[in-house]
Amino acid sequence: MSAKPDKKPQEAAVAPKKPGGMGLGGMKLSGLLKPQAATVADSALKELPLDVIDEDADQPRLEDNPGFRPEMIAEIGGTIKARGVKQPISVRESPDAPGRYIINDGARRFRGSKWADKTTIWAIIDNDFVPDDQVVANIQREGHTAREIAKLIGQRMASGMKKGEIAKRWGKSNAYITQHAALLDLPAPIAQAFDSGRIADVTLVNELVTAHKSNPQEVADWLADESQEITRGSVKLLREFLQDGKERDPNTVDAFNDKTDAELDSEGEGEGDVPPKKKTEPKEEDPTKIKKAIVQVEINGDLCRLILTKRPSDGDVAWFKNEVSGEEFEASLASAKLVALVEG
């Protein structure tokens, strides 16, 4: 019978368990101090120097993607400088350069870390990577809606935080916080349009709120038209129309006496102590203004219209509607050839 092999030195150094104990003699306390991301296998999680990481040249987001704008990277960098990177990026080992890594997911956190003058970043090594992984991650990462952001701001303000504190904590501008805070107390017709998804642009909401302060009924009537597309162009035309001023139609029935302005004028004539009401001519509409604009384009030989009320999945695409079949689809803006601008 052969002799048993000697124990390995590291095994011999471990003290035996004591009866009734928890067997912690061989445990290193440093293992309890790893970041929360260490739920991934230790071998997959590493703190890597930024200078050994490269961005994926074939990633689906182009360099002109809105998420890569300098101000966006500066916002991310500001939060990283103050709070660090809370979620590791994902990388894979470079097949062409041993010791280097290519980003699977987290290019903005990587750029933000550089902006914040960091030298390392936590990364999960994931060599089981396919290009579609990036597409799925970008499509599914919708983030908070403007209404959700407003609710969060309201909660922070209720706890005693100032808008400036929230802006600094979130790495956003004061104007961004103020605009979203305005969503907490909207006039009813604007709130209804916003909650239903007809308005998604916070800037448009604030422009409508401004118009509503001086012309509440006109704005409410304008929003009541469900066929009205709410875009930056249409809201601009609405505000210009309201600012130009308009006389009331003399045939409009007064809600208090059930008589038109014309009837009241005729009743006032001949009464010496009551001067007749001055008649006003209805103002002619400006023929150069378009109440509802329709942008027609040609895509693959088909006549289509640009849908301005449906949010695209990326900055270089948009939603279109085939004028013949009625089919709605998403396509690249570069593939659309402008045909005409008509009034709906």
Side-chain angles (χ1 to χ4, degrees):
M1 185 173 179
S2 60
K4 293 182 180 180
D6 294 336
K7 290 184 178 180
K8 295 180 181 179
Q10 60 270 30
E11 293 178 342
V14 176
K17 296 180 181 179
K18 294 181 180 180
M22 298 179 64
L24 302 179
M27 179 180 290
K28 294 183 177 179
L29 294 180
S30 60
L32 301 176
L33 302 179
K34 290 190 175 179
Q36 186 175 359
T39 51
V40 183
D42 291 349
S43 59
L45 181 66
K46 296 183 182 297
E47 187 175 13
L48 298 175
L50 290 175
D51 57 12
V52 302
I53 301 174
D54 300 312
E55 294 192 40
D56 188 350
D58 297 321
Q59 73 155 308
R61 286 194 297 192
L62 303 178
E63 191 60 36
D64 61 357
N65 185 282
F68 286 151
R69 293 198 303 263
E71 58 268 28
M72 294 298 296
I73 299 302
E75 286 185 358
I76 295 171
T79 60
I80 290 175
K81 180 173 288 188
R83 305 274 295 164
V85 176
K86 296 301 180 181
Q87 181 181 355
I89 65 172
S90 171
V91 300
R92 63 187 183 276
E93 295 173 324
S94 172
D96 303 320
R100 299 196 66 80
Y101 299 86
I102 300 173
I103 296 177
N104 299 330
D105 179 63
R108 299 204 307 158
R109 277 165 281 161
F110 173 73
R111 295 189 183 191
S113 295
K114 282 189 169 182
W115 185 96
D117 295 324
K118 300 292 184 181
T119 58
T120 63
I121 190 170
W122 283 97
I124 296 173
I125 314 300
D126 180 11
N127 291 320
D128 183 22
F129 165 83
V130 294
D132 281 344
D133 290 343
Q134 290 178 332
V135 178
V136 172
N138 290 334
I139 290 176
Q140 292 182 348
R141 188 184 291 120
E142 295 181 358
H144 292 296
T145 65
R147 198 69 171 175
E148 290 170 340
I149 293 172
K151 183 178 179 180
L152 291 171
I153 292 173
Q155 292 173 349
R156 301 300 187 274
M157 292 175 64
S159 69
M161 289 183 66
K162 303 295 185 183
K163 291 179 183 178
E165 294 179 72
I166 301 172
K168 186 175 181 180
R169 180 76 62 86
W170 290 3
K172 293 291 186 179
S173 66
N174 290 336
Y176 176 93
I177 300 300
T178 299
Q179 279 192 328
H180 282 78
L183 303 178
L184 297 170
D185 188 23
L186 294 176
I190 300 176
Q192 183 179 1
F194 183 71
D195 291 336
S196 66
R198 289 181 66 200
I199 314 175
D201 190 327
V202 178
T203 301
L204 291 187
V205 172
N206 283 277
E207 289 185 1
L208 286 171
V209 168
T210 300
H212 186 272
K213 289 178 180 178
S214 54
N215 302 90
Q217 189 58 53
E218 288 83 352
V219 172
D221 292 342
W222 189 78
L223 290 172
D225 181 4
E226 294 291 337
S227 65
Q228 173 64 58
E229 292 183 333
I230 305 176
T231 65
R232 296 200 174 195
S234 65
V235 171
K236 181 175 183 291
L237 289 176
L238 171 66
R239 293 194 62 182
E240 289 177 351
F241 176 69
L242 295 176
Q243 289 170 359
D244 284 345
K246 51 187 183 300
E247 300 292 342
R248 188 162 79 162
D249 188 331
N251 295 315
T252 301
V253 178
D254 193 296
F256 293 99
N257 51 38
D258 292 329
K259 294 182 179 181
T260 65
D261 290 349
E263 291 173 334
L264 291 174
D265 288 345
S266 62
E267 290 178 359
E269 292 176 356
E271 299 180 9
D273 55 341
V274 180
K277 188 175 181 180
K278 183 180 179 180
K279 295 183 179 181
T280 57
E281 295 294 332
K283 188 175 181 179
E284 295 183 1
E285 293 187 4
D286 187 344
T288 65
K289 292 184 178 179
I290 299 177
K291 290 185 177 180
K292 181 180 178 183
I294 297 177
V295 180
Q296 291 186 325
V297 300
E298 180 182 313
I299 300 179
N300 297 328
D302 294 335
L303 182 63
C304 308
R305 71 169 60 185
L306 178 63
I307 302 177
L308 300 173
T309 57
K310 202 166 183 178
R311 185 192 301 275
S313 62
D314 208 342
D316 58 351
V317 299
W319 282 92
F320 300 90
K321 181 177 181 180
N322 190 298
E323 294 282 35
V324 177
S325 67
E327 176 193 4
E328 294 185 358
F329 59 95
E330 197 174 32
S332 168
L333 286 168
S335 67
K337 179 182 177 182
L338 182 63
V339 174
L341 177 65
V342 298
E343 185 170 7

